[in-house]
Amino acid sequence: MAAPAGPGAAVFHPQQTQGYVLCCLCGTNILPNPSNMCVNCIRSQVDITEGIQKQVTILWCKECGRYLQPPKHWVKAEPESKELLTFCTKRIRGLAKVKLVDAGFIWTEPHSKRLKVKLTIQAEVMNGTILQQGFVVEFIVENHMCMECNRANANPNSWTACVQVRQHVPHKRTFLYLEQLILRAGADAQCINIRDIHEGLDFFFANRAHALKLIDFLQGVVPARFRADKQLVSHDIHTSTYNYKYTFSVEIAPVCKDDLICLPPKLASSLGSLGPLVLCSRVTNTLTLLDPANLRAAHMEAPVYWRAPFGAMMSARQLVEYVVLDVEPLQGAAAGGYGAFASGGTRWCLAEATVARKSDFGRNDTVFYTRTHLGHILHPGDSALGYDLANANLVNMDFEAHVARNGAVPDVLLVRKSYEERRRKSRGRAARAWKLKHLPIEAGEDRGRNEAAEAADRERFMEELEEDAEMRARVALYKAPGAGAPAAPAGMDDGETDDGEGELPQVPLEELLDDLEALGLDDDEHEGHTAAQQQQQHGDSMMMDD
């Protein structure tokens, strides 16, 4: 057995050398790798840039200097900036299959309408070998005016198609609601001008197809019908080219929410002997008719209505304020039995109410007994708005025929709960915590409306949004700057508590959207539009210098 080495004995360390192998294709000495091939041979065999776009076309608005991010978003980016580099790399197809290591711009002539980006990518090839390769992608910049600049530079008097939307009613609450639906859907993107006309709006377009697109949208949100007409503007006999101006007349059904309707006998029979005295509880592309005496409801499509059109017997302007003296839900209704639900998912409660006109307080002791669908929100002491059928002077052939057949006509028909007294007490204390956006509407010469009536319609429309959660769901509400009014809980849309001592109905804060314009996030876009003419003049001067 060998004796152990002493403390001063030297230890042998073998010298380590790097092993080399020959490339399987060219025979060059290389360090070992999974493919046993040199870099040049790997590149000759495999191209990791295959399938990646080498030439991309991007759209640029000369007026505001923004680039189109498909499908319709425009991005503000300065030349050779990080934002422009990010925008360009995202437009390259096939880049997601490899790993991007580096990217940078290559200088090009400013007026060449070309952008060049040098990319360095990595990919795994041949048994796990990582190959890195650089290449250049060329971007072709094409001029394309954005919708905002196109609308700003368009001549409002030069139009090809006009959509005339009309509703023959004495108010414009329908158009206030329609305005919000158009804004939320972006149906006004192609419109070059909007004009306010008596009983409606006029939309002007530079293309007939854009007008037809708006008509399709209108028929999907309101019960409407239209007819078309065209006028010859010019005619070239050599090429047989005709230029027309197209006019589309869209008529909205003259039936609004809370209107009282007396159905014709034939129509009432087709709806299962509904009514004939019914309330219009909701208006979309269908009319929802509710019989408050038994909570039966029917949905009427627009084609069915226009086959036998009818009007409102009484409208919301004829509502009378009543004071609720007593409310007694019918047996089984409050517990979810007969009559607890109406068609369409809206919950009603059938009840018998004792009411008196507010104007009769202190004058007489006249009270009315009626059956109502508002048993779930009315309590003794509340105010309600309804139609005074006992003293109304009604001119309607269907109603007169119903009375002649000894049909039942209630003295009072309650429509909705009134919060006017509470609003009057809280008026001026705090502004609304939300706001609405509006279309750029040009005032017409023959509007035939006064400012007081428009302000009243606008205020009533905003109150309806606060009271009706289903109506709010189709409208975009934005946070008002500087307004911090407390909002009611989301589950209490009518502002009611169990004991009936509720507050005003308000919009929950979680339903409000952030206004990007108010937050200053769209300043670049607005600056681009306001300085569009200066940019165009500056660009023309640079072209002349070259």
Side-chain angles (χ1 to χ4, degrees):
M1 183 176 181
V11 180
F12 174 76
H13 294 282
Q15 184 179 1
Q16 296 182 359
T17 58
Q18 181 68 45
Y20 288 87
V21 297
L22 298 179
C23 176
C24 63
L25 294 181
C26 63
T28 305
N29 284 335
I30 60 173
L31 295 175
N33 58 66
S35 62
N36 289 331
M37 296 172 60
C38 64
V39 176
N40 294 330
C41 292
I42 293 178
R43 289 179 177 175
S44 64
Q45 296 294 322
V46 179
D47 183 13
I48 62 175
T49 65
E50 185 179 1
I52 301 177
Q53 273 186 306
K54 304 301 190 300
Q55 193 176 66
V56 184
T57 301
I58 57 178
L59 302 181
W60 176 66
C61 180
K62 183 179 179 181
E63 302 295 328
C64 60
R66 295 186 298 171
Y67 295 87
L68 176 62
Q69 178 71 40
K72 58 180 180 179
H73 183 63
W74 291 85
V75 179
K76 180 71 174 180
E78 297 296 332
E80 298 189 4
S81 61
K82 295 181 180 179
E83 292 79 8
L84 183 57
L85 184 61
T86 303
F87 168 77
C88 292
T89 53
K90 288 183 178 180
R91 293 298 312 277
I92 303 175
R93 296 179 183 176
L95 199 60
K97 301 178 181 179
V98 296
K99 179 181 179 181
L100 181 62
V101 178
D102 188 22
F105 284 104
I106 299 177
W107 185 88
T108 55
E109 177 66 30
H111 299 288
S112 64
K113 296 295 183 181
R114 296 292 188 274
L115 296 176
K116 291 186 178 181
V117 178
K118 183 178 181 181
L119 303 176
T120 303
I121 60 175
Q122 288 182 353
E124 182 179 345
V125 297
M126 290 188 179
N127 302 323
T129 303
I130 303 298
L131 179 62
Q132 180 172 309
Q133 186 175 348
F135 64 102
V136 177
V137 179
E138 183 182 27
F139 294 86
I140 303 174
V141 181
E142 292 186 358
N143 291 334
H144 185 82
M145 190 175 292
C146 63
M147 294 299 176
E148 290 80 2
C149 295
N150 190 13
R151 181 185 299 178
N153 295 329
N155 184 4
N157 298 322
S158 176
W159 52 271
T160 303
C162 175
V163 179
Q164 301 174 349
V165 186
R166 300 290 185 269
Q167 186 185 33
H168 304 296
V169 292
H171 60 82
K172 278 202 171 184
R173 285 187 288 113
T174 302
F175 288 96
L176 293 174
Y177 182 49
L178 190 61
E179 177 186 19
Q180 301 303 319
L181 297 180
I182 292 175
L183 283 172
R184 181 166 185 174
D188 63 320
Q190 308 289 346
C191 186
I192 62 176
N193 190 25
I194 306 175
R195 187 173 300 168
D196 187 8
I197 305 295
H198 179 58
E199 292 187 344
L201 297 173
D202 286 353
F203 297 84
F204 298 93
F205 298 89
N207 196 327
R208 178 176 178 269
H210 298 160
L212 293 175
K213 185 177 180 181
L214 176 65
I215 294 175
D216 292 340
F217 171 78
L218 293 177
Q219 290 183 323
V221 295
V222 290
R225 64 179 178 179
F226 78 98
R227 66 182 186 88
D229 196 2
K230 62 181 180 179
Q231 179 182 5
L232 181 63
V233 177
S234 62
H235 173 215
D236 189 352
I237 60 175
H238 301 288
T239 60
S240 297
T241 302
Y242 297 85
N243 294 326
Y244 291 97
K245 276 193 173 183
Y246 301 90
T247 303
F248 300 91
S249 177
V250 180
E251 181 184 359
I252 302 177
V255 178
C256 302
K257 183 181 177 182
D258 297 339
D259 283 355
L260 177 62
I261 303 167
C262 184
L263 296 176
K266 185 177 180 180
L267 180 60
S269 177
S270 65
L271 296 177
S273 299
L274 182 70
L277 294 179
V278 294
L279 289 174
C280 180
S281 61
R282 187 163 303 279
V283 178
T284 56
N285 56 346
T286 62
L287 296 175
T288 302
L289 305 177
L290 173 67
D291 189 350
N294 50 26
L295 296 189
R296 293 183 56 202
H299 300 277
M300 182 178 296
E301 302 287 342
V304 178
Y305 171 82
W306 291 114
R307 281 199 294 266
F310 53 85
M313 187 171 64
M314 300 184 74
S315 62
R317 290 194 173 184
Q318 298 172 274
L319 291 173
V320 179
E321 188 172 0
Y322 292 87
V323 177
V324 180
L325 303 179
D326 187 23
V327 175
E328 183 179 354
L330 295 182
Q331 184 178 5
Y338 168 76
F341 292 91
S343 300
T346 304
R347 182 175 178 84
W348 306 108
C349 180
L350 194 62
E352 291 184 350
T354 304
V355 298
R357 280 191 296 263
K358 188 176 181 180
S359 60
D360 289 344
F361 269 65
R363 297 182 179 180
N364 54 58
D365 298 332
T366 305
V367 296
F368 301 94
Y369 302 93
T370 183
R371 181 173 290 189
T372 179
H373 60 291
L374 305 176
H376 61 305
I377 59 175
L378 289 183
H379 303 87
D382 290 343
S383 297
L385 295 176
Y387 294 113
D388 188 1
L389 299 180
N391 300 318
N393 185 13
L394 301 176
V395 180
N396 187 285
M397 296 181 61
D398 297 324
F399 179 73
E400 293 175 359
H402 175 67
V403 174
R405 294 193 301 268
N406 295 326
V409 179
D411 294 334
V412 175
L413 203 155
L414 299 181
V415 177
R416 65 172 185 265
K417 185 175 180 179
S418 175
Y419 301 92
E420 186 61 30
E421 186 66 27
R422 298 175 186 174
R423 288 192 173 98
R424 189 181 300 112
K425 293 180 180 179
S426 62
R427 191 163 296 163
R429 295 183 181 179
R432 287 186 172 94
W434 54 276
K435 66 176 184 177
L436 298 172
K437 291 187 176 181
H438 301 282
L439 292 172
I441 301 177
E442 175 187 346
E445 298 180 357
D446 55 343
R447 298 174 63 194
R449 294 275 293 169
N450 54 48
E451 299 297 333
E454 290 183 354
D457 290 342
R458 189 176 297 107
E459 179 65 23
R460 178 55 203 154
F461 171 67
M462 301 183 78
E463 292 174 359
E464 287 183 356
L465 290 178
E466 294 174 339
E467 298 172 7
D468 194 342
E470 295 184 11
M471 187 177 181
R472 279 201 310 269
R474 307 183 65 189
V475 176
L477 305 179
Y478 297 91
K479 296 179 181 178
M492 298 169 57
D493 296 325
D494 291 311
E496 291 297 322
T497 57
D498 295 337
D499 56 357
E501 296 296 332
E503 297 180 354
L504 283 175
Q506 296 179 354
V507 180
L509 291 178
E510 57 267 19
E511 296 183 9
L512 302 182
L513 303 176
D514 291 327
D515 189 3
L516 300 182
E517 297 179 3
L519 295 177
L521 299 182
D522 289 348
D523 290 343
D524 295 338
E525 299 182 6
H526 292 286
E527 291 176 1
H529 296 315
T530 56
Q533 186 175 3
Q534 297 179 2
Q535 291 177 359
Q536 183 176 3
Q537 294 176 356
H538 179 65
D540 295 340
S541 63
M542 293 180 63
M543 292 287 289
M544 294 177 63
D545 294 339
D546 293 340

